């Protein structure tokens, strides 16, 4: 039996452990917002990784968005040094998950194993990927205890809300200064190397009116109607213009190869009351209406172009619609990121995909941003990809799941990448 077969067998032998680890991670409800149980999952990972010989450090991202005494932003960084000098391979996974939402037929934090699939919020995005990277590292260490360089594994906060309390904070504080290769086990499918992502621009738009009695709306000015005019301009002009644009980036799924925008939320008039309120609404003309927009843009578009396109429509309404006034508040922006297809980590992981799965790797880009943006822009490290198990379209959906076989295959790919980089043994043809 070759060394390569011994390594893949070491991964296979850990199947039950991989299942239990994934279930344990899902059962820690790290909901973001607000940022629950970050410390608990870091302590769980700390206990696990120390047993595998890693030196660990828990890092709180003080003064980052959302960080407070009730919901502190905790991260863990674990490092295992080799016996000789060499490169460092860093696996980064976020530990937070989005809201549960409606439509589940299983316990979203139960981690149920059904027909070879583990169900739960975060199973796919991305606790299954985190578990697979840990199993890959442990299988590699058992097979090659005498290796060069170092392995790092991080579990970080807040990726679902921008990553500023997680990878951005770590990058700002030098945690990637001695890292040469980064693999982020996001769920882009086990046969794909994800090179980067589209850009994003988030803004809040508020329209203004004048409050008055609801029986005499002509004495007031309805901010909701003004917002309706904004949405009409978006429907008639902006959405068709975005749909006509296409990128040369290999973005998946196909619909994301065009520019897109989501209306994230809308609030107008009186605040919604609590569920136990049994009264009736007051009769008022709304004097404010707010929407949050989530604009995803292509590498061929500039941030200024994206911003100016929206403000141009708003200014057009201001000049033509009676009493129309608005404010626009930019919430966040992220530029597109793209790793070169010939980068070392790209070629290494692609070769391992072909070795393990028996077919060439597909090269893609993500429709949404992920923490590569911070490793690229702040950490100044271009040799970074997303690669991990899971079906991209399941992220944030009800009955989210991760396939056990997919995790095993991805763990074999990740373990093989460690073998090639830290031992110098390329796949055998």
């Amino acid at each position: 039996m070759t060394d390569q077969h011994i390594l893949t067998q070491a991964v296979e032998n850990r199947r039950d452990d991989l299942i239990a680890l994934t279930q344990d991670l899902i059962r820690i409800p790290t909901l973001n917002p607000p940022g629950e149980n970050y410390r608990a999952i870091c302590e769980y990972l700390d206990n696990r990784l120390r047993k595998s010989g890693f030196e660990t450090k828990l890092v709180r991202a003080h003064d980052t968005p959302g960080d407070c005494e009730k919901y502190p932003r905790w991260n863990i960084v674990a490092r295992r040094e080799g016996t000789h000098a060499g490169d460092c391979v860093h696996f980064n996974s976020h530990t937070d998950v989005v809201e549960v939402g409606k439509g589940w037929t299983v316990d979203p934090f139960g981690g149920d194993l059904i027909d070879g699939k583990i169900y739960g919020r975060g199973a796919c995005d991305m606790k299954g990927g985190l578990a697979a990277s840990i199993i890959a590292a442990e299988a590699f260490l058992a097979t090659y205890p005498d290796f060069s360089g170092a392995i790092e594994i991080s579990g970080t906060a807040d990726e679902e809300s921008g990553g500023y309390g997680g990878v951005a904070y770590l990058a700002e504080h030098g945690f990637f200064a001695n890292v040469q290769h980064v693999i982020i086990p996001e769920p882009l499918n086990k046969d794909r190397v994800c090179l980067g992502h589209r850009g994003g621009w988030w803004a809040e738009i508020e329209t203004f009116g004048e409050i008055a009695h609801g029986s005499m709306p002509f004495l007031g000015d309805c901010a909701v109607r003004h917002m309706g005019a904004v949405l009409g301009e978006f429907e008639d002009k902006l959405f068709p213009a975005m749909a006509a644009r296409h990128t040369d980036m290999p973005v998946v799924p196909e619909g994301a190869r065009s520019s897109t925008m989501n209306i994230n939320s809308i609030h107008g008039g009186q605040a919604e009351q609590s569920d136990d309120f049994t009264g009736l609404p007051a009769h008022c003309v709304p004097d404010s209406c707010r929407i949050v927009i989530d604009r995803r843009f292509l590498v061929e578009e500039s941030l200024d172009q994206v911003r100016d396109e929206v403000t141009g429509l708003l200014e057009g309404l201001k000049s033509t619609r009676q009493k129309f006034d608005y404010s626009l508040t930019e919430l966040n922006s992220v530029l597109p990121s793209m790793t070169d297809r010939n980068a070392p980590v790209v070629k290494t992981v692609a070769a391992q995909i072909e070795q393990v799965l028996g077919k060439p790797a597909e090269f893609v880009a993500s429709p949404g941003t992920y923490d590569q943006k911070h490793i690229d822009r702040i950490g100044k490290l271009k040799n970074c990809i997303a690669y991990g198990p899971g079906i991209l379209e399941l992220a944030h959906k009800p009955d989210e799941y991760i396939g056990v076989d997919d995790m095993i295959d991805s763990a074999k790919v990740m373990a093989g990448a460690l073998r090639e980089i830290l031992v110098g043994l390329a796949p055998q043809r």
Side-chain angles (χ1 to χ4, degrees):
M1 184 178 291
T2 66
D3 285 354
Q4 188 169 308
H5 289 134
I6 293 172
L7 179 59
T8 58
Q9 189 61 51
V11 172
E12 282 283 1
N13 291 343
R14 288 165 169 77
R15 177 180 290 264
D16 290 345
D17 190 12
L18 175 60
I19 292 170
L21 173 57
T22 305
Q23 291 174 316
D24 284 349
L25 294 171
I26 291 169
R27 289 165 183 164
I28 303 173
T30 47
L31 286 166
N32 178 31
E36 297 176 349
N37 298 305
Y38 285 177
R39 176 83 189 198
I41 200 165
C42 286
E43 288 178 346
Y44 176 92
L45 292 169
D46 180 71
N47 181 62
R48 169 78 186 218
L49 293 169
R50 281 183 179 274
K51 290 178 180 178
S52 296
F54 284 83
E55 294 183 0
T56 61
K57 185 172 185 179
L58 270 63
V59 181
R60 179 176 170 182
H62 288 281
D63 301 322
T64 56
D67 179 68
C68 60
E69 290 309 307
K70 187 175 182 180
Y71 300 112
R73 267 45 194 172
W74 283 104
N75 304 276
I76 183 172
V77 180
R79 183 178 176 94
R80 173 73 182 262
E81 295 283 355
T83 55
H84 313 285
D87 285 358
C88 175
V89 180
H90 183 114
F91 294 99
N92 165 249
S93 299
H94 66 84
T95 57
D96 59 320
V97 302
V98 298
E99 65 177 305
V100 171
K102 298 177 181 178
W104 287 76
T105 63
V106 296
D107 180 353
F109 297 109
D112 294 337
L113 176 63
I114 304 171
D115 297 330
K117 302 171 183 175
I118 303 174
Y119 286 81
R121 177 52 86 221
C124 170
D125 186 17
M126 59 178 294
K127 290 178 176 178
L130 169 58
S133 69
I134 292 172
I135 291 297
E138 291 175 345
F140 170 81
L141 291 169
T143 309
Y144 298 101
D146 184 25
F147 67 96
S148 299
I151 303 170
E152 289 185 351
I153 298 174
S154 61
T156 52
D158 282 2
E159 188 274 345
E160 298 291 3
S161 55
Y164 297 98
V167 171
Y169 185 88
L170 295 180
E172 288 166 353
H173 288 78
F175 278 85
F176 293 94
N178 297 312
V179 174
Q180 286 72 43
H181 313 264
V182 177
I183 298 172
I184 303 175
E186 288 276 11
L188 273 300
N189 300 13
K190 65 183 180 181
D191 57 348
R192 293 170 168 174
V193 175
C194 183
L195 303 172
H197 53 73
R198 296 189 297 176
W201 181 65
W202 297 264
E204 181 184 82
I205 300 169
E206 183 174 10
T207 52
F208 302 106
E210 182 181 354
I211 194 169
H213 197 289
S215 69
M216 298 174 286
F218 46 83
L219 296 180
D221 185 27
C222 182
V224 172
R225 289 184 65 185
H226 286 314
M227 188 59 77
V230 173
L231 296 176
E233 288 289 279
F234 287 169
E235 290 291 338
D236 294 341
K237 298 176 182 178
L238 182 56
F239 283 109
M242 291 189 300
R245 298 171 195 155
H246 302 278
T247 183
D248 290 331
M249 289 177 70
V251 182
V252 291
E254 181 64 29
R257 297 199 70 180
S258 295
S259 299
T260 60
M261 188 172 77
N262 176 52
I263 309 297
N264 188 71
S265 63
I266 183 167
H267 301 279
Q270 299 171 44
E272 291 188 334
Q273 302 299 318
S274 61
D275 291 341
D276 59 358
F277 177 74
T278 60
L280 298 173
H283 313 293
C284 294
V285 175
D287 59 4
S288 171
C289 186
R290 293 173 290 112
I291 64 171
V292 172
I293 59 173
D294 176 351
R295 171 77 163 86
R296 303 304 172 109
F297 62 96
L298 312 176
V299 71
E300 292 84 358
E301 299 176 285
S302 72
L303 180 58
D304 286 342
Q305 176 188 346
V306 169
R307 187 186 294 115
D308 292 347
E309 192 169 33
V310 172
T311 55
L313 292 176
L314 295 171
E315 286 295 311
L317 284 171
K318 191 171 183 179
S319 66
T320 58
R321 183 177 174 86
Q322 189 175 9
K323 294 185 178 181
F324 180 87
D325 197 12
Y326 75 94
S327 69
L328 187 149
T329 304
E330 184 170 323
L331 303 177
N332 193 22
S333 62
V334 172
L335 297 177
S337 180
M338 189 79 167
T339 297
D340 189 281
R341 192 173 294 196
N342 291 314
V345 73
V346 175
K347 295 172 72 174
T348 298
V349 172
Q352 293 298 328
I353 289 173
E354 186 166 4
Q355 174 68 31
V356 172
L357 302 180
K359 62 178 181 178
E362 182 182 356
F363 297 96
V364 301
S366 173
T369 71
Y370 55 94
D371 280 328
Q372 181 170 331
K373 58 185 178 282
H374 299 311
I375 294 166
D376 179 358
R377 309 287 179 186
I378 303 172
K380 307 299 182 185
L381 180 58
K382 300 290 186 181
N383 192 36
C384 174
I385 59 166
Y387 171 75
I391 300 169
L392 176 62
E393 289 79 4
L394 293 176
H396 300 195
K397 296 281 287 182
D399 285 352
E400 176 185 352
Y401 67 82
I402 188 78
V404 176
D405 286 344
D406 287 348
M407 286 195 292
I408 287 289
D409 285 343
S410 289
K412 291 177 182 177
V413 170
M414 289 186 266
L418 290 173
R419 176 178 183 266
E420 184 170 341
I421 295 169
L422 303 182
V423 183
L425 296 175
Q428 297 174 350
R429 303 295 184 185

